[in-house]
């Protein structure tokens, strides 16, 4: 293996040892450092300071129950009381639909998750609390009473929960380029997630997508590693807050380590996963400068869990690659936290050989396995591997220590559940206001004639609006919203772009989804029309496509509206740049709204000039699909608009914006 080092070796624990702020993170850092150093641990006091410690400090309670003891001591004490079976259970992460609370407790399962769309029925905050609480309660009644870590993908707000505030997907936040805004969104997301009793989030995505055909492009902040690192770190700070033990602190999980954004398009696959979960096309240097690069910032911001990537690199699947999972991540970057696998990803390490896959992944460095369903099979394989000597017991202890350290560091032993009063914060006016602001800030103006925008709110002339994305909360929210792949329709509460236009404008407004306007006379025209068109919701796999353009149907909507109006505004609701084609000639203004989420009013704030337009592209906007591969920052080659491009409402380049002209 080439040992070229871009970052240089980081001394173990360096990123933990010198925290920039005197937060509780210090003791977590120490706890993890102690696991490795094993001596010289001047255990600063435990982070856990529950309101009621009386019960915990009785003299005969086991040591690990003592909330005032240092985390590392509590971990040692508990580990010494655990059987091998207890330990294997702690390394297991199961989807809630595959195991009951009772069985999970019986088998000593360490962690539970809700996958995309893994909501209770009914999908209410109360039902979520009950669901999560039932696993926690069952775990609490076992002899050791080890709490479960419950995880969820809250990647743009607590997006599985109906009624939660849905923020713009990261592609939009990348265009807004404001770490403070992202941190505030992280805080709001943490509050809404914690309100359902969940303290673990599989976010931020630190992918640095290099090919727009990837269906997870919108989950990323941009194509530039520095921007991704800066905003990813901000999200970590926001989610975790200043004190990991606070009930509103939600553990962040940078993902997917490493190279997920660099995979190549596979022409041999007919549909579905043609680029997602593929092979990262980067040599060691590029792997480091592009895909590893955002992680140190997230670690400095306090991230103590990381999720591995489905993708492969030079040595096969990342999940089985000790060089990436241990040598690079831990020995070189100094990460001391918990490494969790992705959904069923361990199974892919050695296809057809599950036992071998488990052995290789655990020995490579995976601590906690998102099985996520067949726990019997997993526990049998893991237990068998220890018995056979294929996995050393020390390796098991190391993994379990990391799981327990995270649980103690979060104060889960001392306060396994959050306060039900937090429910009031879900979808609150304050959070929706923040989301609306974020939407406005993320909008990018690609083209404008300087006269069409801003819309005049007092204009008595009728406005024509067309397009399926104009009045659809599901479409404007995109994938990972209520369901895994997302879907169109009134999937959750919010304000559509059309509703916000109606609210903001005094004059009459006529909406026709198809742009036919059958209710109008054939020759009836309007001064201004707005077509809201773009992509339909998708997530992993389904979003991989080499057809990055409006569908013929939606293009037809734009053409029809164009016939009816003097000036046409095209608003693109999309997870990535689309090849503009005919749009470029039909439109007088082109506005990119990305996937704004539930607060469509933010888009309208920009259209009416109530908020300034300030977004700048975080992805190069390509001329054609043919030149998409290996899109590079700062390059105008094959680009209509370069990375960093964006206009102000007056049609001039924004300050600091990039351009390919002149
Ligand atoms: C789950 C997702 C998961 C996916 C993996 C879906 O059924 O809902 O959370 O990421 O499977 O393939
Ligand atoms: C995705 C992860 C996600 C997990 C759980 C996987 O399919 O790749 O990003 O955290 O499912 O839903």
């Amino acid at each position: 293996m080439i040992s070229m080092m871009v970052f240089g070796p980081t001394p173990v624990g360096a990123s933990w040892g010198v925290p920039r702020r005197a937060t509780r993170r210090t003791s977590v850092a120490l706890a993890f450092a102690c696991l490795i150093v094993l001596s010289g641990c001047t255990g600063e006091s435990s982070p856990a300071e529950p309101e009621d410690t009386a019960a915990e400090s009785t003299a005969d309670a086991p040591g690990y129950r003592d909330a005032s003891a240092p985390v590392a001591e509590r971990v040692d004490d508990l580990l010494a009381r655990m059987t091998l079976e207890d330990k294997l259970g702690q390394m297991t992460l199961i989807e809630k639909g595959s195991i009951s609370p009772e069985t999970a407790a019986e088998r000593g399962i360490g962690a539970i998750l809700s996958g995309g769309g893994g909501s209770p029925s009914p999908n209410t905050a109360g039902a979520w609390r009950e669901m999560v609480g039932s696993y926690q309660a069952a775990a609490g009644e076992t002899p050791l009473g080890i709490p479960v870590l419950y995880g969820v993908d809250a990647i743009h707000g607590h997006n599985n929960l109906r009624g939660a505030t849905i923020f713009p997907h990261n592609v939009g936040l990348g265009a807004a380029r404001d770490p403070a805004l992202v941190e505030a969104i992280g805080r709001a997301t943490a509050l809404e997630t914690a309100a359902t009793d969940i303290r673990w989030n599989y976010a931020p995505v630190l992918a640095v997508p290099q090919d727009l055909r990837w269906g997870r492009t919108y989950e990323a902040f941009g194509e530039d590693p520095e921007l991704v690192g800066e905003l990813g770190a901000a999200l970590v700070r926001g989610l975790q807050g200043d004190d990991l033990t606070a009930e509103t602190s939600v553990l962040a999980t940078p993902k997917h380590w490493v190279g997920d954004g660099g995979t190549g398009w596979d022409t041999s696959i007919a549909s579905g996963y043609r680029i997602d979960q593929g092979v990262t096309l980067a040599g060691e240097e590029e792997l480091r400068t592009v895909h590893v690069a955002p992680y140190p910032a997230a670690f400095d911001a306090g991230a103590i869990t990381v999720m591995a990537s489905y993708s492969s690199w030079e040595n096969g699947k990342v999940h089985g690659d000790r060089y990436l999972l241990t040598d690079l991540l831990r020995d070189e970057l100094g990460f001391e936290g918990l490494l969790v696998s992705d959904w069923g990803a361990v199974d892919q390490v050695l296809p057809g050989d599950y036992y071998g896959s488990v052995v290789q992944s655990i020995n490579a460095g995976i601590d906690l396995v998102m099985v996520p369903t067949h726990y019997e099979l997993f526990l049998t394989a893991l237990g068998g591997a220890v018995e056979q000597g294929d996995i050393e017991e020390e390796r098991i202890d190391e993994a379990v220590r990391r799981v327990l350290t995270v649980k103690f560091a979060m104060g889960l032993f001392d306060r396994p559940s959050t306060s039900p009063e937090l429910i009031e914060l879900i979808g609150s006016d304050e959070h929706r206001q923040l989301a609306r602001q974020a939407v406005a800030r993320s909008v990018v103006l690609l083209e404008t004639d300087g006269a069409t925008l801003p819309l005049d709110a007092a204009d008595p002339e009728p406005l024509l609006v067309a397009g399926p994305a104009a009045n659809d909360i599901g479409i404007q929210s995109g994938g990972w919203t209520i369901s895994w792949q997302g879907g169109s329709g009134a999937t959750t509460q919010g304000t559509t772009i059309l509703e916000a236009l109606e609210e903001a404008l005094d004059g009459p407004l006529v909406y026709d989804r198809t742009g036919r306007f059958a209710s109008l006379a054939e020759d009836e025209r309007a001064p201004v029309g707005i077509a809201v068109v773009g992509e339909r919701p998708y997530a992993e796999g389904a979003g991989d496509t080499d057809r990055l353009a409006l569908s013929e149907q939606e293009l037809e909507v734009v053409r029809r509206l164009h016939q009816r109006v003097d000036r046409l505004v095209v608003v693109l609701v999309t997870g990535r740049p689309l090849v503009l084609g005919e749009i470029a000639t039909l439109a007088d203004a082109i506005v990119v709204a990305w996937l704004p989420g539930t607060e469509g009013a933010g888009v309208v704030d920009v259209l009416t000039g109530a908020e300034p337009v300030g977004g700048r592209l975080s992805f190069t906007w390509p001329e054609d699909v043919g030149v998409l591969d290996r899109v590079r920052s700062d390059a105008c080659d094959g680009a209509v608009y370069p990375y960093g491009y964006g206009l102000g409402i007056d049609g001039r380049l924004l300050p600091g914006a990039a351009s390919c002209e002149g």
Side-chain angles (χ1 to χ4, degrees), residues 395-437:
R395 173 68 194 106
I396 300 291
D397 281 354
E398 180 184 60
V400 175
R401 274 172 188 283
R402 290 180 184 140
V403 174
L404 297 177
T405 299
V406 163
K407 291 182 178 181
F408 279 115
M410 298 197 73
L412 282 180
F413 281 83
D414 315 308
R415 177 171 43 204
S417 294
T418 65
S419 314
E421 295 81 67
L422 292 171
I423 283 184
E424 282 169 32
L425 301 172
I426 294 170
S428 68
D429 289 346
E430 202 185 318
H431 291 176
R432 290 187 186 275
Q433 197 52 40
L434 173 65
R436 178 174 176 169
Q437 252 172 40

Side-chain angles (χ1 to χ4, degrees), residues 255-613:
K255 69 184 187 185
H256 309 82
W257 174 265
V258 58
D260 53 351
T263 57
W265 180 257
D266 189 341
T267 49
S268 72
I269 299 172
S271 66
Y273 294 76
R274 283 177 289 190
I275 181 164
D276 193 37
Q277 309 190 1
V279 181
T280 302
L281 305 176
E284 173 117 10
E285 183 176 354
E286 186 177 322
L287 186 81
R288 285 165 178 265
T289 53
V290 176
H291 303 288
V292 172
Y295 281 85
F299 297 156
D300 277 350
I304 56 170
T305 71
V306 164
M307 188 185 293
S309 176
Y310 275 122
S311 51
S312 303
W313 190 54
E314 291 175 358
N315 314 315
K317 283 284 171 187
V318 170
H319 275 75
D321 188 344
R322 196 183 152 83
Y323 173 71
L324 295 178
L325 298 187
T326 296
D327 300 356
L328 184 54
L329 177 64
R330 296 192 183 280
D331 301 348
E332 197 179 318
L333 295 191
F335 177 70
E336 292 157 6
L338 171 67
L339 180 60
V340 62
S341 76
D342 202 343
W343 178 284
V346 162
D347 308 38
Q348 302 180 358
V349 169
L350 299 171
D353 176 4
Y354 188 60
Y355 177 84
S357 297
V358 169
V359 168
Q360 191 173 324
S361 314
I362 301 300
N363 287 335
I366 298 288
D367 300 309
L368 176 61
V369 175
M370 195 190 294
V371 176
T373 57
H374 49 262
Y375 57 90
E376 292 287 0
L377 210 63
F378 171 68
L379 288 169
T380 305
L382 187 60
V386 177
E387 209 170 291
Q388 301 289 312
D390 289 329
I391 299 176
E392 304 270 328
E393 275 203 66
E394 289 84 78
R395 173 68 194 106
I396 300 291
D397 281 354
E398 180 184 60
V400 175
R401 274 172 188 283
R402 290 180 184 140
V403 174
L404 297 177
T405 299
V406 163
K407 291 182 178 181
F408 279 115
M410 298 197 73
L412 282 180
F413 281 83
D414 315 308
R415 177 171 43 204
S417 294
T418 65
S419 314
E421 295 81 67
L422 292 171
I423 283 184
E424 282 169 32
L425 301 172
I426 294 170
S428 68
D429 289 346
E430 202 185 318
H431 291 176
R432 290 187 186 275
Q433 197 52 40
L434 173 65
R436 178 174 176 169
Q437 252 172 40
V439 172
R441 304 277 304 279
S442 68
V443 167
V444 176
L445 186 55
L446 295 181
E447 293 291 341
T448 180
D449 59 4
T452 309
L453 293 177
L455 303 172
D456 177 5
D459 192 348
E461 298 282 342
L463 175 80
L464 302 191
V465 181
N471 197 26
D472 196 307
I473 286 288
I475 293 179
Q476 75 187 38
S477 298
W480 294 102
T481 308
I482 308 305
S483 60
W484 179 39
Q485 294 285 330
S488 51
T491 53
T492 187
Q493 291 102 310
T495 305
T496 68
I497 295 169
L498 182 76
E499 288 165 347
L501 278 169
E502 279 166 343
E503 175 75 28
L505 304 179
D506 297 342
L509 183 156
V510 188
Y511 173 59
D512 183 343
R513 200 171 186 280
T514 66
R516 286 196 179 86
F517 295 97
S519 65
L520 301 181
E522 213 164 303
D523 59 351
E524 220 169 319
R525 295 180 58 82
V528 180
I530 304 182
V532 190
V533 289
E535 290 190 312
R536 296 302 170 88
Y538 57 77
E540 300 163 73
D544 289 1
T545 181
D546 57 357
R547 209 190 164 282
L548 290 180
L550 282 191
S551 68
E552 187 52 33
Q553 260 175 330
E554 297 209 3
L555 195 52
E556 205 38 52
V557 173
V558 179
R559 289 186 192 121
R560 288 189 197 116
L561 184 58
H562 179 252
Q563 297 293 312
R564 292 253 182 205
V565 298
D566 300 334
R567 292 195 304 270
L568 175 65
V569 179
V570 172
V571 174
L572 294 173
V573 172
T574 180
R576 52 192 152 183
L578 296 176
V579 175
L580 293 173
E582 212 178 319
I583 302 280
T585 49
L586 296 176
D588 298 285
I590 305 176
V591 176
V592 191
W594 308 113
L595 298 171
T598 51
E599 306 316 306
V603 179
V604 174
D605 289 338
V606 170
L607 295 178
T608 59
E611 293 285 345
V613 51

